[in-house]
Amino acid sequence: MTRQAHPDAALRPNAPQGAPKKRAGDDLTVARRVLSQEVAGLEALAQALGPSFIAALDRIEAVPGRVVVTGIGKSGHIGRKIAATMASTGTPALFVHAGEASHGDLGMITREDAVLALSNSGDTPELADIIAYTRRFAIPLIALTSRADSALARQADVTLLLPRAEEACPMGLAPTTSTTMMIAMGDAVAVALLERKGFTATGFRELHPGGQLGKRLLSVADLMHASTELPLVTPGTRMGDVLLEMTAKHFGCCGVIDKKGRLVGIITDGDLRRHMSRDLLEATAETVMTPHPRTIRPNVLAVEAVRIMNGDEQERPITVLFVVEEERPIGILHIHDCLRAGVV
């Protein structure tokens, strides 16, 4: 009886019979070689940076519009990432596909923008219309390429030149080291612009409101309770009235403020237990309070508040922090507020 061939046999690649199976060690050798070659490319790139990098930053910073990043193929994929990184770090940017630009998307580029064009060879035909468009309307053109004699580099106002580096592909064909250098250059431009503009964690949070990153960038002011919710008494307040204030405000504590409204102490459940006696209700707040309580400012990140409340080897954990400005309480933050917001 003859065995029938599997119907998908024609679709399967022919593997040589008896071919030796590659060992895991061989794979690791290849991986380490690839990473080493790409690291060498990045080191060469770092050494090659010079005046043109500064000139590119100056051009981008000077335009009132956006950075339009363009490219095709692997350069296009990298261009999308660079545009996204810039946009999320305070430099308005968008990506325009080089091929689609010739079919109407040139209208997305205005005279107030700057164009960052990516092409390893610099002679990508699909970039021709974008290059011509920028020259016609005097739109700043920054080239990111590995060939100084390419059409893109010759037409650009500024050229960010990638140094010659061996591709990690053993045939030298698949873009590997060159694409790593290209994406790293984009990161360098984005971060340098970020620092030039003084972009802060607050600005970053405004552009990243969702997900875990947004939670990590919440500030104390975003979560604190303020105004009439604050449990506050003066030093001479009888402890009977302090207990009523603590009960009404539900934070398990009470702040003690002096005549100038400055926070001078705090009374917690722990303080009540330590001073428990028949005379407790007749005592005054200043005799029971813990002076110089831990506090925090409103613009500090909530993750820092959690760290303070968790304590360390020198300070015991606490569950609440008064938020102060110029020593005066303007809010109160409970550990449960942070947990509900997903700040850990």
Side-chain angles (χ1 to χ4, degrees):
M1 181 176 177
T2 58
R3 179 179 295 177
Q4 292 184 342
H6 191 281
D8 292 335
L11 302 178
R12 297 176 180 174
N14 294 323
Q17 296 297 318
K21 192 175 183 179
K22 293 196 72 174
R23 297 183 311 234
D26 296 331
D27 296 332
L28 292 175
T29 299
V30 171
R32 291 186 179 114
R33 186 192 72 230
V34 170
L35 295 176
S36 295
Q37 287 180 233
E38 296 199 1
V39 166
L42 292 177
E43 290 176 344
L45 179 62
Q47 294 300 318
L49 291 178
S52 62
F53 183 80
I54 305 301
L57 298 182
D58 291 340
R59 288 275 182 166
I60 293 172
E61 193 175 34
V63 297
R66 303 153 301 177
V67 179
V68 178
V69 187
T70 188
I72 198 166
K74 302 295 188 299
S75 297
H77 295 310
I78 292 167
R80 290 181 188 277
K81 190 273 178 188
I82 292 174
T85 299
M86 286 184 172
S88 70
T89 53
T91 300
L94 76 155
F95 177 78
V96 172
H97 189 278
E100 297 295 336
S102 301
H103 300 277
D105 282 3
L106 282 174
M108 300 172 70
I109 307 172
T110 75
R111 300 188 188 192
E112 294 186 337
D113 300 332
V115 171
L116 173 61
L118 281 61
S119 171
N120 189 36
S121 70
D123 289 320
T124 305
E126 290 84 356
L127 285 174
D129 289 334
I130 287 185
I131 293 173
Y133 189 80
T134 63
R135 302 305 79 189
R136 179 183 177 187
F137 294 107
I139 297 169
L141 175 62
I142 301 163
L144 179 49
T145 180
S146 62
R147 289 183 50 199
D149 61 344
S150 63
L152 175 59
R154 289 196 303 270
Q155 294 297 325
D157 298 297
V158 180
T159 298
L160 297 173
L161 194 64
L162 300 177
R164 291 292 181 183
E166 184 180 359
E167 298 286 11
C169 166
M171 296 173 289
L173 300 176
T176 47
T177 306
S178 59
T179 51
T180 298
M181 291 192 295
M182 194 173 281
I183 201 167
M185 180 69 89
D187 287 342
V189 170
V191 173
L193 288 168
L194 176 156
E195 296 199 10
R196 272 195 180 197
K197 296 178 180 181
F199 193 69
T200 64
T202 299
F204 204 79
R205 178 178 60 81
E206 291 172 353
L207 299 177
H208 298 76
Q212 191 60 38
L213 183 58
K215 295 173 184 176
R216 287 175 53 199
L217 294 173
L218 286 170
S219 70
V220 169
D222 294 321
L223 301 178
M224 72 181 189
H225 303 266
S227 187
T228 57
E229 294 185 77
L230 272 65
L232 298 172
V233 297
T234 58
T237 304
R238 290 176 58 254
M239 283 303 299
D241 295 325
V242 172
L243 287 173
L244 291 176
E245 179 73 358
M246 290 175 65
T247 302
K249 300 300 173 63
H250 309 292
F251 289 104
C253 72
C254 201
V256 183
I257 55 174
D258 63 14
K259 293 179 180 180
K260 294 184 178 181
R262 296 173 299 190
L263 187 71
V264 294
I266 188 172
I267 298 172
T268 66
D269 292 337
D271 293 314
L272 296 179
R273 289 191 296 272
R274 284 187 289 274
H275 291 82
M276 186 62 66
S277 70
R278 293 181 179 179
D279 301 325
L280 175 61
L281 296 182
E282 298 302 320
T284 59
E286 62 184 337
T287 63
V288 177
M289 73 180 190
T290 297
H292 313 298
R294 277 175 269 177
T295 60
I296 197 164
R297 298 186 309 280
N299 61 339
V300 175
L301 293 180
V303 289
E304 176 65 9
V306 172
R307 186 194 66 78
I308 293 173
M309 285 190 273
N310 283 337
D312 52 30
E313 294 179 358
Q314 285 76 39
E315 296 181 316
R316 60 184 176 80
I318 57 177
T319 59
V320 68
L321 279 172
F322 273 98
V323 185
V324 299
E325 281 187 336
E326 297 180 349
E327 301 183 53
R328 293 175 174 83
I330 62 168
I332 188 169
L333 181 69
H334 197 282
I335 188 68
H336 290 165
D337 299 320
C338 298
L339 294 176
R340 278 192 294 269
V343 179
V344 294

